[in-house]
């Protein structure tokens, strides 16, 4: 019996020895539960001309996530963000934001329902794992920018009931909840507002994750001080490697680890590596901003045209992009500073995310390949690709 066992081990070792690093990475990628914690794909659904059940070409401005490319990229689950850009902070502006959020939730539910044989809306970590076993894609929902809450805490419950499981409390400009990391006006509250503190408390009570990506440093620390549950940064990188205010300092990474939270490494190049862009692209972006300077007050048709023009920029003036190696440098750094239990992946696909060699969801296996090349174990990769995020998700959801 012992000899037979020894021969089996020897055969196993020989198989491993003859296995290429690409085969090993593909095998690990297939085995682990993978989740992308942040994409802006619902912007495509709302246009009414995008079917998630069909395969598209991201390099033609058609979007970077659909079911086919999730399957090709071995992506088991994804968070679709109901993104609302910051508009006027008055009763009319808030009402419009609330209405827009409602419409995007409805469009997303309908889009997934049309493709129910291959994907389903999920609201709990358990459902994600169950759908993976059935060979289906798990679609989770979230809100990017707390603007649609209308200063009404009960709207948190309402959006939770529509499926939202985290809220990115602020976006590129200050709102009534929090200071933004990138508002040129500067801070209003030096962190969270009084309403923002109530938002965090209500989200904790409800079991909804608080997302600090886009929040100012002061707001980040306010959230950590106040929250009784672990916190997420759904799509951010390390500021030590790329000095962007959207990224997190080493002290912030350590504080997030102490909180038990997780930072989801983002593959939007501006957050990964400082890169020079072509003069043509710079001028193209200037022309876009000049043409679409009144976004908050757009009609639905004007908004659709604006979104098409935005995605077309990358077709007409392809950006100079960072690489998977550059992105995994951030994972290395976060692991060194915060530990292997506090890092994951949130691509920001369809919101600007994409690398030279991981341009859309079909190429996500390239990240796993780079991790294997750098010596990460299967268990490490399991944590990075979903284990860490799902641990936080479970902890927050627990009553």
């Amino acid at each position: 019996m012992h000899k037979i066992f020894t021969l089996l081990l020897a055969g196993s070792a020989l198989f491993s020895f003859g296995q290429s690093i690409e085969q090993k990475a593909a095998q690990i990628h297939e085995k682990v539960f993978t989740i992308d914690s942040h994409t802006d794909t619902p912007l495509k659904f709302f246009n009414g001309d995008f079917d998630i059940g069909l395969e598209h070409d991201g390099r033609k401005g058609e979007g970077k996530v659909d079911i086919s490319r999730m399957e090709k990229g071995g992506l088991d689950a994804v968070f679709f963000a109901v993104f609302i850009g910051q508009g006027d902070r008055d009763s009319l502006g808030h009402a419009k934001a609330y209405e827009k959020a409602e419409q995007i939730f409805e469009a997303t539910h309908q889009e997934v329902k049309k493709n129910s044989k291959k994907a389903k809306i999920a609201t709990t970590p358990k459902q994600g794992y169950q759908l993976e076993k059935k060979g289906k894609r798990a679609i989770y929902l979230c809100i990017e920018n707390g603007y649609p809450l209308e200063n009404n805490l009960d709207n948190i419950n309402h959006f939770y009931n529509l499926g939202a499981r985290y809220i990115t409390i602020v976006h590129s400009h200050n709102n009534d909840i929090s200071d933004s990391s990138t508002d040129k006006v500067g801070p209003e509250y030096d962190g969270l507002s009084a309403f923002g503190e109530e938002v965090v408390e209500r989200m904790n009570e409800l079991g909804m994750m608080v997302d600090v990506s886009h929040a100012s440093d002061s707001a980040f620390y306010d959230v950590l001080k106040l929250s009784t549950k672990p916190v997420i940064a759904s799509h951010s990188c390390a500021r030590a490697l790329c000095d962007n205010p959207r990224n997190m300092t080493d002290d912030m990474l350590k504080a997030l680890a102490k909180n038990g939270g997780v930072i989801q490494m983002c593959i939007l190049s501006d957050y990964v590596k400082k890169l020079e862009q072509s003069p043509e692209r710079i001028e193209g972006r200037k022309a876009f901003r000049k043409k679409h300077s009144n976004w908050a007050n757009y009609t639905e048709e004007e908004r659709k045209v604006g979104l098409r023009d935005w995605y077309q920029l990358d077709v007409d003036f392809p950006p100079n992009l960072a690489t998977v190696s550059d992105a995994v440098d951030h994972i290395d750094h976060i692991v060194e500073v915060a530990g292997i239990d506090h890092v994951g992946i949130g691509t920001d696909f369809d919101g600007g995310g994409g690398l030279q060699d991981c341009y859309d969801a079909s190429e996500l296996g390239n990240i796993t390949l780079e991790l294997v090349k750098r010596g990460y174990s299967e268990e490490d990769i399991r944590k990075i690709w979903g284990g860490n995020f799902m641990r936080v998700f479970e902890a927050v959801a627990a009553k």
Side-chain angles (χ1 to χ4, degrees):
M1 187 72 172
H2 177 71
K3 287 183 179 178
I4 294 174
F5 184 68
T6 302
L7 286 171
L8 287 172
L9 285 178
S12 176
L14 182 63
F15 173 76
S16 296
F17 182 76
Q19 188 182 40
S20 72
I21 196 166
E22 289 80 11
Q23 289 171 323
K24 179 180 179 182
Q27 188 179 67
I28 292 173
H29 195 71
E30 176 65 23
K31 286 174 67 177
V32 304
F33 179 83
T34 55
I35 185 166
D36 180 347
S37 64
H38 191 90
T39 74
D40 286 298
T41 308
L43 289 173
K44 292 287 187 181
F45 306 156
F46 192 66
N47 283 344
D49 56 2
F50 184 91
D51 185 343
I52 194 178
L54 302 177
E55 184 166 337
H56 303 80
D57 188 343
R59 295 186 185 274
K60 293 181 179 179
E62 297 174 3
K64 297 184 178 182
V65 181
D66 51 47
I67 293 171
S68 175
R69 283 178 293 170
M70 287 179 71
E71 291 172 342
K72 288 182 177 180
L75 184 61
D76 298 310
V78 64
F79 266 85
F80 281 164
V82 174
F83 166 69
I84 305 294
Q86 188 61 48
D88 294 336
R89 290 162 56 187
D90 53 23
S91 58
L92 180 60
H94 284 116
K96 285 182 178 179
Y98 177 88
E99 181 182 7
K100 186 65 60 60
E102 291 268 290
Q103 292 169 344
I104 297 174
F105 270 109
E106 175 63 21
T108 304
H109 276 280
Q110 290 301 317
E111 189 62 36
V112 177
K113 188 176 181 180
K114 283 193 311 186
N115 294 278
S116 60
K117 290 183 179 180
K118 291 191 173 184
K120 188 176 179 180
I121 298 288
T123 57
T124 69
K126 183 178 179 180
Q127 288 173 353
Y129 292 123
Q130 289 172 334
L131 287 167
E132 178 205 17
K133 290 178 181 177
K134 294 178 181 178
K136 291 187 176 185
R137 309 300 118 178
I139 310 298
Y140 292 99
L141 303 177
C142 61
I143 294 175
E144 184 173 23
N145 192 5
Y147 180 41
L149 295 184
E150 293 189 301
N151 291 306
N152 184 346
L153 292 175
D154 289 339
N155 283 339
I156 300 174
N157 299 64
H158 174 67
F159 290 127
Y160 180 90
N161 291 335
L162 291 180
R165 288 301 177 264
Y166 76 72
I167 297 175
T168 312
I169 57 174
V170 69
H171 194 245
S172 299
H173 302 281
N174 303 336
N175 62 17
D176 289 356
I177 297 171
S178 171
D179 291 332
S180 168
S181 61
T182 52
D183 196 316
K184 294 179 180 178
V185 174
E188 287 184 43
Y189 320 106
D190 196 26
L192 291 176
S193 68
F195 175 64
E197 293 177 355
E198 293 180 314
V199 167
V200 172
E201 290 172 353
R202 175 64 65 89
M203 290 175 71
N204 280 173
E205 292 169 3
L206 197 58
M208 183 184 282
M209 291 177 283
V210 180
D211 179 18
V212 294
S213 286
H214 286 288
S216 69
D217 292 7
S218 295
F220 165 85
Y221 285 112
D222 280 355
V223 169
L224 260 60
K225 187 184 302 181
L226 187 63
S227 181
T228 59
K229 302 284 184 75
V231 168
I232 66 168
S234 70
H235 56 303
S236 296
C237 286
R239 203 178 298 177
L241 273 63
C242 183
D243 189 13
N244 187 307
R246 271 279 288 105
N247 289 337
M248 296 174 65
T249 67
D250 286 1
D251 285 343
M252 293 167 77
L253 293 174
K254 292 173 184 175
L256 189 66
K258 187 176 180 181
N259 162 268
V262 63
I263 173 175
Q264 302 289 103
M265 183 274 298
C266 181
I267 63 172
L268 194 154
S269 280
D270 286 348
Y271 308 153
V272 176
K273 189 175 184 178
K274 296 285 187 181
L275 295 168
E276 292 293 328
Q277 299 297 332
S278 69
E280 292 80 9
R281 180 171 174 81
I282 293 171
E283 289 304 312
R285 288 175 68 94
K286 286 181 180 178
F288 172 86
R289 287 193 292 269
K290 184 176 181 180
K291 180 179 179 181
H292 299 288
S293 60
N294 193 29
W295 196 272
N297 296 312
Y298 268 6
T299 64
E300 294 310 320
E301 190 55 40
E302 288 171 331
R303 187 171 182 273
K304 289 179 182 179
V305 171
L307 284 172
R308 283 197 294 267
D309 287 351
W310 171 253
Y311 289 118
Q312 190 64 30
L313 275 174
D314 285 349
V315 179
D316 295 339
F317 312 106
N320 187 15
L321 298 174
T323 66
V324 166
S325 179
D326 295 327
V328 175
D329 285 345
H330 284 263
I331 292 180
D332 283 348
H333 183 82
I334 294 165
V335 168
E336 181 181 349
V337 174
I340 190 65
D341 295 322
H342 303 285
V343 61
I345 296 168
T347 63
D348 207 9
F349 280 147
D350 294 325
L355 304 168
Q356 287 182 30
D357 40 356
C358 186
Y359 195 77
D360 64 23
S362 71
E363 298 179 323
L364 287 168
N366 289 339
I367 296 176
T368 303
L369 176 58
E370 183 65 23
L371 290 169
V372 172
K373 287 179 178 178
R374 297 193 187 198
Y376 285 87
S377 69
E378 180 178 323
E379 182 57 26
D380 292 337
I381 293 169
R382 186 184 302 279
K383 289 181 177 183
I384 293 168
W385 259 122
N388 292 334
F389 183 90
M390 296 300 270
R391 168 185 57 79
V392 172
F393 192 178
E394 289 169 353
V396 173
K399 300 297 183 182

